[in-house]
DNA sequence: GCTGTTATCTTGACGTCGTCAAGATATATT
DNA sequence: AATATATCTTGACGACGTCAAGATAACAGC
């Protein structure tokens, strides 16, 4: 018998599914715990045993969001290697695509509704996603003699790392574009189906600019 | 007698001040209309006449947010020219600094609480801020023969513009870093006073990478 | 300066929200 | 079979956004 299969069957999973659906439909602003419970067919107080409160539910969704990003990036990088493509471009595209595919998750991960940042699973997923970004950014840097064990000493104290600027640069470009696109800030630039067109612009042009910056590595004043 | 000075004096401004204070203290998640009304010393229904509903109030704050960004960028660019500095670096620094100074405004502008995107003032402020970014990014591009009237045909239909990738690249880097910093995603990288240190990293390193990419303008595969 | 009009704010109420305490019910354990 | 534990319901509480109706203050026309 499956764990958690009592009255409902698997309320924990049902609540997460409902939460993702509500988030995708109504966004973070329109998200309510009661509606998720309603969709799962239980009373409003039922989820408390599984998640504590609404923050716990959102943290669970955010954990899935980080793991989804990490899975997509890992898979994309591997596929790029097999196809002879660039790995960093692949993970950038995967980042944007994953956010567009499951906007509910992404909005929770980087949204303003409170999360439980102390949650162990959440921290693990976040560190994993960031680790992939670190690894792929470093492998794109011109200096070949980069210490390979840098990833392994994550997460404690990344500050002072010589590659930190480039890592944050990569994340900023990718995350910034994704956020602007997903939040509709770029909608005025494009007509119908505009987000897909902008997504194409990202993978064809913005990633090229990113790679240029990383490979040049010359101080500019 | 000042416009809007009836019973309260100037409820519209008082509500906006209260909203910014609440946003700065409790973030977007903890924001309520009733608390703002309480701080302004009026009943919960009073603001309706000035803003319609809570979305109207947030839209007013967001308008201030865009105008604040535009003011800061404009001022920084002018100061940079006088001091012999780089204008695009200056507006990037101003973007980050403004967000850190008034996180409440920034969180509303780019947050998940609903805004009224049709509001005329809001659209004007948004177009103004974006226009500055467009202008300064273009002036950094190597091709000197850029059509100078490009800014003036904002906002309708920016799509298809040859410089759009670079413009979005600049915005993505700047906005992405600001968002990650303000939302605490980078807190694990730095100790106490870490945000200021990361802010310094941005202006010293990330902007340099951005300028490198813009000035090179070579397709990278 | 008085009166009517308009703008502003209060009052009271409605439905919904998150959460809690207490009780009911089904599974697990012994 | 009896007990313990996990799960869910019920009922309630205060707080929320918003609305309709009424009160109050400022303005406008004469």
């Amino acid at each position: 018998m499956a764990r958690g299969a009592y009255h409902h069957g698997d309320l924990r999973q049902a609540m997460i599914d409902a939460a993702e659906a509500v988030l995708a439909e109504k966004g973070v602003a329109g998200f309510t715990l009661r509606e998720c419970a309603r969709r799962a067919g239980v009373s409003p107080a039922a989820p408390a045993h599984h998640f504590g409160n609404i923050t716990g539910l959102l943290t669970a969704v955010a954990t899935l969001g980080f793991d989804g990003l990490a899975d997509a990036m890992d898979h994309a990088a591997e596929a790029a290697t097999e196809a002879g493509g660039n790995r960093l471009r692949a993970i950038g595209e995967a980042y944007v695509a994953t956010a567009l595919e499951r906007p509910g998750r992404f909005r929770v991960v980087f949204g303003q509704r409170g999360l439980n940042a102390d949650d162990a699973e959440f921290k693990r997923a976040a560190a994993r996603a960031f680790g992939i970004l670190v690894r792929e950014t470093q492998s794109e840097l011109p200096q070949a003699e980069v210490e390979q064990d840098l990833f392994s000493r994550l997460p404690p104290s990344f500050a002072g790392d010589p590659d930190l600027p480039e890592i944050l640069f990569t994340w900023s470009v990718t995350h910034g574009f994704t956020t602007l696109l997903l939040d509709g800030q770029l909608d005025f630039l494009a007509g119908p189906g505009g987000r897909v067109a902008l997504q194409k612009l990202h993978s064809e042009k913005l990633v090229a600019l990113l790679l240029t910056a990383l490979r040049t590595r010359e101080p500019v004043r």
Side-chain angles (χ1 to χ4, degrees), chain A:
Chain A
M1 167 164 298
R3 176 80 182 83
Y6 289 86
H7 301 62
H8 175 279
D10 192 352
L11 181 55
R12 180 183 165 84
Q13 190 57 50
M15 282 296 297
I16 290 177
D17 292 344
E20 295 209 66
V22 173
L23 286 164
E25 286 176 29
K26 314 197 174 182
V28 173
F31 177 84
T32 67
L33 182 66
R34 283 180 113 103
E35 166 139 15
C36 296
R38 236 175 276 132
R39 297 199 184 195
V42 296
S43 79
H49 269 270
H50 296 275
F51 303 99
N53 53 23
I54 193 173
T55 299
L57 173 57
L58 289 173
T59 301
V61 173
T63 302
L64 283 179
F66 267 127
D67 272 327
L69 280 175
D71 288 342
M73 288 192 290
D74 257 341
H75 182 268
E78 197 164 345
T81 292
E82 290 175 6
N86 180 274
R87 288 174 65 94
L88 193 59
R89 158 172 283 123
I91 73 164
E93 292 173 353
Y95 196 99
V96 177
T98 302
L100 287 181
E101 269 170 34
R102 308 193 84 124
R105 287 184 179 182
F106 193 86
R107 286 217 166 93
V108 168
V109 171
F110 298 106
Q112 302 300 328
R113 297 288 289 247
L115 300 181
N116 181 14
D118 296 332
D119 183 90
E121 271 294 286
F122 176 74
K123 285 196 291 189
R124 175 202 54 75
R128 182 183 159 222
F130 183 70
I132 295 170
L133 201 122
V134 168
R135 186 224 303 151
E136 300 301 333
T137 299
Q138 286 185 324
S139 75
E140 197 65 42
L141 293 178
Q143 54 184 36
E145 67 281 19
V146 62
E147 22 173 357
Q148 285 295 22
D149 60 341
L150 198 148
F151 172 46
S152 61
R153 57 183 169 84
L154 192 93
S157 158
F158 227 82
D161 187 272
D163 296 328
L164 185 59
E166 284 80 5
I167 292 164
L168 288 186
F169 189 73
T170 299
W171 197 10
S172 294
V173 172
T174 309
H175 181 71
F177 180 81
T178 303
T179 299
L180 291 172
L181 184 63
L182 202 69
D183 288 353
Q185 304 287 346
L186 308 181
D187 283 353
F188 75 101
L189 290 174
R195 293 199 182 179
V196 175
L198 288 171
Q199 192 178 359
K200 207 172 160 192
L201 188 78
H202 169 263
S203 65
E204 288 178 358
K205 304 281 189 174
L206 297 213
V207 174
L209 287 163
L210 168 62
L211 293 177
T212 297
L214 292 183
R215 291 174 182 172
T216 304
R217 251 216 185 171
E218 267 180 27
V220 175
R221 198 166 304 112

